[in-house]
Amino acid sequence: MHVCEGVLGWPVLAAGGAVAAAGVAIGLRRMQVEDTPKTAMLAAVFFVASLVHVPFGPGSVHLILNGLAGIVLGWAAFPALAVALFLQAVLFQFGGLAVLGVNTVVMALPGVAAYYVFRALYGTGRGPMCVFVLAGVLAAGTVLCSGLLLTGALAWGGRAFLRVAGGIVTTHMPVLVADGLVTGAAAVFLLKVRPDVLPPSRRESRR
Amino acid sequence: MSVKFWGGLGILLTAVMACEGHGIAARPVEDGIGIQAVYDDGYPVAFGDVKVFAPDRADKPALEGLTDRNGCFMFRPDTNGTWRVTVDDGMGHAVSHELYFDGGKSAAMQSKEPVSKRHGVMTGLSLIFGLFGWIAYLRGQRAERRRE
């Protein structure tokens, strides 16, 4: 789900760059020193996940895992994904430097939204199945929202919104399912091994 | 009879000439340039929308078409300079590539060899952990200074 160089006009690139810069600044400001290792770990997971392709039907799919990064990191997902996307652009020519801002916003903003929804609903049930379903659905929703944001960026550049949206949603259905399953499983694993890595529910943070 | 004969012959010849006037011929052309659009896993972008922008007209495509089933698109430029080719698969993936054309000798502008995947992954992971480790170090130092 990378936009490449030369596809979007400068107003879209400038807006994407400005929003991404603000997101990275907020993320760095809110990131505590003790959060740095998990931020680095999730940046590394995101960086590698999109390089591993799994054969599916006539083509192949790869994980995105921006939902997992968003749920665990919150606003720190912005710097984490910005660094990963920058390295993907420089090392593998995925995306590009001019579109780095747009790609960062497309990937990180839905992740931050997933963080807040997870926090709001986390306290209502803490069983492994509850966490699996919650994290899985949010991860799938994050991929869907990223697709819609990407469609919006392309539509701003003059593409037909519905045609592009239909194509993006259709092709990313397997990714949606795969991301949901992996994120759900990862959240359950964290709940059992290191529950403090998951974000605290609203009630806990009020205390 | 002769009027009918010559009249008929005239009409026939006119028809033949008219047909010749609207006829088309094909001949092979060399020195074309092209691109192959592939996804990052190596699968070709088959039947993707292609737009070709001439060196002197960056705002309006000089040529539009589709990639073939192997993701290839070829054309023959009529002007020397840098031609830009964009390929859009209609599903959110698009790429823009520049080709330099110089009187039949063309070379891709972006001809640098990408890093191999294994080296790229190792380099990327090292840089990620190095960068965030450095950020943690700086923040830890700042926190210590505040305590002092």
Side-chain angles (χ1 to χ4, degrees):
Chain A
M1 212 185 280
H2 293 87
V3 187
C4 298
E5 304 269 22
V7 176
L8 298 172
W10 68 266
V12 191
L13 297 177
V19 176
V24 170
I26 296 170
L28 286 174
R29 202 172 179 81
R30 293 194 176 197
M31 191 174 73
Q32 304 296 319
V33 180
E34 56 270 20
D35 293 336
T36 314
K38 75 176 179 186
T39 308
M41 178 58 78
L42 280 154
V45 166
F46 178 86
F47 173 72
V48 174
S50 56
L51 302 174
V52 180
H53 293 264
V54 181
F56 185 89
S60 67
V61 296
H62 65 79
L63 295 170
I64 299 176
L65 297 182
N66 55 338
L68 178 64
I71 288 169
V72 174
L73 299 176
W75 280 98
F78 263 96
L81 300 191
V83 168
L85 287 166
F86 172 78
L87 290 171
Q88 284 183 347
V90 170
L91 295 170
F92 301 114
Q93 284 77 54
F94 295 174
L97 294 180
V99 286
L100 182 63
V102 174
N103 281 331
T104 303
V105 173
V106 164
M107 290 293 163
L109 198 58
V112 175
Y115 167 79
Y116 284 109
V117 177
F118 187 87
R119 274 187 65 182
L121 301 178
Y122 183 38
T124 57
R126 293 206 168 184
M129 186 50 76
C130 243
V131 170
F132 178 83
V133 172
L134 181 59
V137 169
L138 284 176
T142 305
V143 175
L144 189 66
C145 289
S146 291
L148 291 176
L149 270 178
L150 175 63
T151 309
L154 292 170
W156 193 0
R159 312 287 167 96
F161 183 86
L162 287 177
R163 182 174 162 249
V164 178
I168 288 175
V169 171
T170 310
T171 49
H172 284 84
M173 281 309 280
V175 183
L176 222 93
V177 176
D179 253 37
L181 291 174
V182 171
T183 304
V188 171
F189 176 76
L190 289 173
L191 180 72
K192 290 187 174 177
V193 180
R194 287 286 304 274
D196 54 307
V197 172
L198 291 174
S201 67
R202 268 190 191 172
R203 284 181 197 169
E204 279 179 351
S205 41
R206 277 177 196 159
R207 284 172 203 165
Chain B
M1 181 184 166
S2 97
V3 172
K4 280 185 182 175
F5 173 77
W6 290 111
L9 187 64
I11 290 168
L12 185 66
L13 283 173
T14 308
V16 168
M17 283 170 72
C19 284
E20 277 186 359
H22 286 285
I24 56 170
R27 60 182 181 193
V29 172
E30 293 179 352
D31 298 333
I33 60 174
I35 58 156
Q36 185 188 24
V38 291
Y39 293 108
D40 50 20
D41 59 356
Y43 279 89
V45 181
F47 310 114
D49 292 324
V50 180
K51 284 182 184 171
V52 180
F53 297 88
D56 51 347
R57 285 297 301 269
D59 54 335
K60 194 177 176 185
L63 178 65
E64 294 186 47
L66 296 174
T67 55
D68 67 8
R69 61 184 174 177
N70 299 310
C72 294
F73 184 83
M74 303 286 293
F75 67 104
R76 190 177 188 283
D78 55 4
T79 316
N80 288 346
T82 303
W83 289 70
R84 190 162 64 86
V85 184
T86 64
V87 181
D88 183 350
D89 71 350
M91 292 175 289
H93 300 99
V95 66
S96 175
H97 195 83
E98 288 183 340
L99 296 162
Y100 184 67
F101 183 78
D102 182 16
K105 292 178 182 175
S106 64
M109 296 285 281
Q110 299 164 354
S111 59
K112 62 179 179 184
E113 191 71 21
V115 183
S116 79
K117 194 174 256 188
R118 186 182 294 175
H119 285 121
V121 168
M122 295 306 293
T123 309
L125 292 179
S126 309
L127 287 170
I128 286 171
F129 286 107
L131 177 68
F132 282 100
W134 182 60
I135 290 173
Y137 170 73
L138 289 178
R139 293 205 154 188
Q141 270 203 331
R142 192 189 292 173
E144 267 188 27
R145 272 183 213 150
R146 281 182 188 169
R147 276 179 216 149
E148 286 168 2

